[in-house]
Amino acid sequence: MAKLNPLLQKASWMESGDIRPYVFVRPENQIAHPGTRHKLDWFSHSPIYKDPLDIPEINFADRIYSIEERAFGPSNMAMPRWVFYDCAVMPGFVAGFAAKPSALKKEVRDILDPAKFPATGSPLLKSSLGQSFMAKSLDDMDWVPLSLFIIIPTMHRGEWVAHNLCSVNSLLAKEHQFYGLGFLSKAFGLWYANVEQCSGMTQWGSPALKLHSHFGHLEVIGSYAPVHSHAKTITYRAQVNTGCWEQFFTREEDLAFLENYGPSEHKIDPKNEQSMIDLQKKIENEEGPFYLNAMEIAKKELTESLTIYKPKGY
């Protein structure tokens, strides 16, 4: 077994090697020197590599789809298969954690069972392909995905967009969840791909904001997004800083943030669309930059107002 960093002691599922990180990426998109930009000792097991353009990997992809559509379907944001292929697999890559089927307890196996939860729109269900390739149970697979983090490079050098993040934890009762799985999936992807700057989108009032705010000091580059299907969306970016990652687990104050940023007179109320529009106008008037405090987000309820911070001296 690999010796875990003391911060990750509660994530004991990472130790044995029966659950390992995976990289689902076409050969042309593989990272040349993975994990060399950010010094980190969290991921001791070599990742599983799978090529999404290979037909035999359809079962692995379908288990990814099945998790994602059940996690985001209730909010009407499930990802169509063509979006996964055209916008994620071709320009970027998918990372996460996967398990050997034998390592999963019954409650997890039931949630991931391909017979009980087939992926919507899979060609395995409606073509001759199914007869040759369909996994009738998890035991027909070598590795079963437990999470997914999609990250896509942009035209801005060094910047990647975090497109999608979810895990089987959203489908499991708390006592059966894998501690820190979602956070560690994004951490692995950022570390592996040597990401300098990460941008992304999530909705105000979403629990995802408590997670995404811990990968670097979070700048609000958009507080309202009428172009998005959910206008009450925050668009953010952060310089990736692994020092901030530790605070996700320790819950200690980020002293560097408090030293460099101070509260402004602006607040975002997740229940008040106008507060988002008002800040968006200030962003467009170049009155920023504006930031959120990860530790304030961690301590507050999802419906509470959040303080907007600015660099000291502005």
Side-chain angles (χ1 to χ4, degrees):
M1 287 192 179
K3 187 176 181 180
L4 284 181
N5 181 299
L7 278 174
L8 307 177
Q9 285 180 351
K10 291 184 180 179
S12 56
W13 54 267
M14 294 179 66
E15 288 183 282
S16 72
D18 288 340
I19 299 177
R20 287 166 49 188
Y22 74 80
V23 179
F24 195 46
V25 61
R26 63 189 180 105
E28 297 85 351
N29 288 0
Q30 288 192 66
I31 304 300
H33 304 287
T36 53
R37 178 177 179 83
H38 305 292
K39 302 305 177 187
L40 204 67
D41 63 355
W42 290 12
F43 309 109
S44 56
H45 294 292
S46 58
I48 301 146
Y49 167 73
K50 288 185 172 291
D51 184 348
L53 273 60
D54 287 352
I55 289 178
E57 300 302 352
I58 181 62
N59 288 296
F60 193 88
D62 274 359
R63 292 305 85 210
I64 289 175
Y65 281 126
S66 180
I67 293 172
E68 198 276 345
E69 66 183 358
R70 282 181 284 159
F72 289 106
S75 60
N76 198 30
M77 292 181 68
M79 178 174 53
R81 294 177 77 94
W82 71 265
V83 170
F84 183 67
Y85 193 87
D86 293 13
C87 306
V89 164
M90 285 303 292
F93 76 95
V94 186
F97 284 87
K100 293 179 180 178
S102 59
L104 298 174
K105 54 189 177 182
K106 182 182 183 302
E107 291 81 3
V108 182
R109 289 177 64 93
D110 286 347
I111 285 293
L112 297 175
D113 190 331
K116 294 179 181 177
F117 299 102
T120 301
S122 173
L124 293 176
L125 302 174
K126 55 186 179 182
S127 75
S128 58
L129 191 66
Q131 302 303 315
S132 304
F133 290 99
M134 181 184 286
K136 295 179 174 59
S137 80
L138 295 184
D139 294 318
D140 293 333
M141 300 176 64
D142 54 353
W143 293 93
V144 180
L146 302 176
S147 62
L148 62 141
F149 173 52
I150 299 172
I151 188 165
I152 307 165
T154 76
M155 293 175 68
H156 180 193
R157 184 177 176 85
E159 180 188 39
W160 295 62
V161 169
H163 168 60
N164 200 321
L165 173 68
C166 66
S167 81
V168 71
N169 279 0
S170 65
L171 310 175
L172 291 169
K174 189 168 184 178
E175 63 268 23
H176 302 308
Q177 292 177 0
F178 299 87
Y179 178 81
L181 177 59
F183 184 87
L184 289 166
S185 297
K186 183 171 180 176
F188 170 74
L190 296 176
W191 170 80
Y192 183 88
N194 300 317
V195 174
E196 300 172 37
Q197 181 174 282
C198 180
S199 299
M201 305 72 59
T202 193
Q203 284 63 57
W204 292 108
S206 167
L209 194 56
K210 289 181 178 287
L211 184 151
H212 292 305
S213 56
H214 279 279
F215 290 98
H217 296 158
L218 205 73
E219 181 183 357
V220 182
I221 61 174
S223 61
Y224 189 72
V227 174
H228 195 286
S229 55
H230 294 263
K232 298 176 184 177
T233 287
I234 169 179
T235 307
Y236 64 82
R237 70 178 167 214
Q239 298 300 317
V240 175
N241 179 356
T242 55
C244 296
W245 300 8
E246 297 182 5
Q247 285 138 13
F248 179 81
F249 295 104
T250 64
R251 293 295 188 244
E252 294 175 354
E253 286 288 354
D254 185 343
L255 298 180
F257 182 91
L258 297 175
E259 182 179 343
N260 289 285
Y261 303 93
S264 72
E265 70 274 19
H266 309 300
K267 289 185 180 293
I268 291 288
D269 180 352
K271 306 182 296 298
N272 183 351
E273 189 173 36
Q274 189 60 46
S275 70
M276 304 165 197
I277 295 171
D278 290 345
L279 183 61
Q280 179 62 32
K281 289 178 179 177
K282 293 182 180 297
I283 293 170
E284 293 173 13
N285 290 336
E286 299 183 353
E287 297 178 35
F290 300 106
Y291 290 81
L292 291 174
N293 181 342
M295 295 317 299
E296 179 187 354
I297 297 170
K299 292 173 182 176
K300 286 191 170 183
E301 298 295 328
L302 297 176
T303 55
E304 289 187 80
S305 294
L306 295 173
T307 305
I308 299 298
Y309 286 73
K310 293 190 70 174
K312 290 182 177 178
Y314 269 73

